[in-house]
Amino acid sequence: MAEFLELSGDKVTLRPFGSGDITDAYLGWLNDPEVTRYSNQRFRTHTRESCEAYLASFAGTRNLFVNVRERQGGKAIGTMTAYRNLDHGTCDVGIMIGERDYWGGGYGQEAWNLLTGWLIDVAGARKLTAGCLATNGGMVKLMERSGMVPDGVRKAQELVDGEPVDIVHYAKFAD
C-alpha cells in the first residue's frame, strides 16, 4: 500500500496532519460559523482536546487526515480527509479551506485534484466518492471540475435554517 507523505502543486502542498497543526487558527476555522456553514461541524464547539481526539482516530487506520498549506509561504489554509476502504477499492474524500482569504483562488481545487489524483494513480483507489449539501455551490463545482459525476441524491436529508436540503453525492472511477 502506498504511503502518503507529501504532494505539491503550483499553489499548495499537502502533507499528513499532525498534532502541531492544531493551532489557534485551526480551532478558529472549526468554530467559525461561516467556514462550517455547510458542514455538520457547525453543531459542535471544538477545543484542542476534541481536535487531538479526532486526529487520534486516524492512528492505525488507512484513512488520511491531510494538512493543506499554501506552497509559497507554507501557511496552513485547510484540511482534507480520505476515508479508504481497501476491501472495496473506494475512498470518500472531504475538504475544508478554513482561511477565508484563500476562498475562490483555486487553492481548494488544486488540493482536491492533487489528493484525488494520488488516491487513484498511486494508492490504487477504484472509485472516489464525495458529497455535500446541494446548496454548497462551491463544493459542487469543485467536484464537477475534478471530473466527478453525480452518484446519487439523498432527498431532504439535512436541515439548514430549518429547511430540508438534499445531499448530493459525486463519484469518479479510475480509468
Side-chain angles (χ1 to χ4, degrees):
M1 179 174 72
E3 181 180 0
F4 176 78
L5 297 175
E6 185 172 305
L7 298 171
S8 288
D10 293 335
K11 296 182 174 195
V12 298
T13 296
L14 310 179
R15 63 173 177 77
F17 191 97
S19 61
D21 296 317
I22 301 173
T23 62
D24 289 343
Y26 174 68
L27 286 167
W29 305 340
L30 292 174
N31 292 312
D32 182 337
E34 183 65 18
V35 171
T36 60
R37 73 181 169 159
Y38 296 113
S39 165
N40 284 326
Q41 299 302 320
R42 68 186 185 276
F43 301 119
R44 299 178 179 92
T45 299
H46 295 274
T47 64
R48 190 166 304 280
E49 292 75 24
S50 69
C51 293
E52 289 282 356
Y54 181 68
L55 174 61
S57 73
F58 287 84
T61 73
R62 296 167 174 158
N63 302 323
L64 303 176
F65 188 23
V66 175
N67 185 292
V68 179
R69 294 187 166 270
E70 174 197 29
R71 185 168 182 194
Q72 291 288 338
K75 179 180 181 179
I77 62 170
T79 61
M80 297 183 74
T81 54
Y83 290 92
R84 300 191 282 184
N85 185 322
L86 299 182
D87 295 325
H88 296 289
T90 58
C91 184
D92 194 61
V93 184
I95 187 169
M96 174 185 72
I97 299 298
E99 284 293 331
R100 293 187 200 187
D101 291 345
Y102 292 85
W103 288 0
Y107 294 88
Q109 187 72 60
E110 184 177 83
W112 186 266
N113 293 345
L114 282 169
L115 186 60
T116 58
W118 182 87
L119 288 164
I120 287 177
D121 296 337
V122 178
R126 177 184 63 81
K127 178 182 181 184
L128 302 179
T129 60
C132 67
L133 291 169
T135 53
N136 187 349
M139 184 64 191
V140 169
K141 286 179 187 174
L142 182 145
M143 291 185 290
E144 291 176 346
R145 284 192 299 247
S146 74
M148 298 183 98
V149 296
D151 194 41
V153 175
R154 297 188 94 177
K155 292 288 188 187
Q157 181 67 23
E158 296 193 358
L159 296 175
V160 176
D161 299 327
E163 296 296 321
V165 176
D166 296 347
I167 297 287
V168 293
H169 295 270
Y170 280 75
K172 182 175 185 177
F173 289 89
D175 293 328

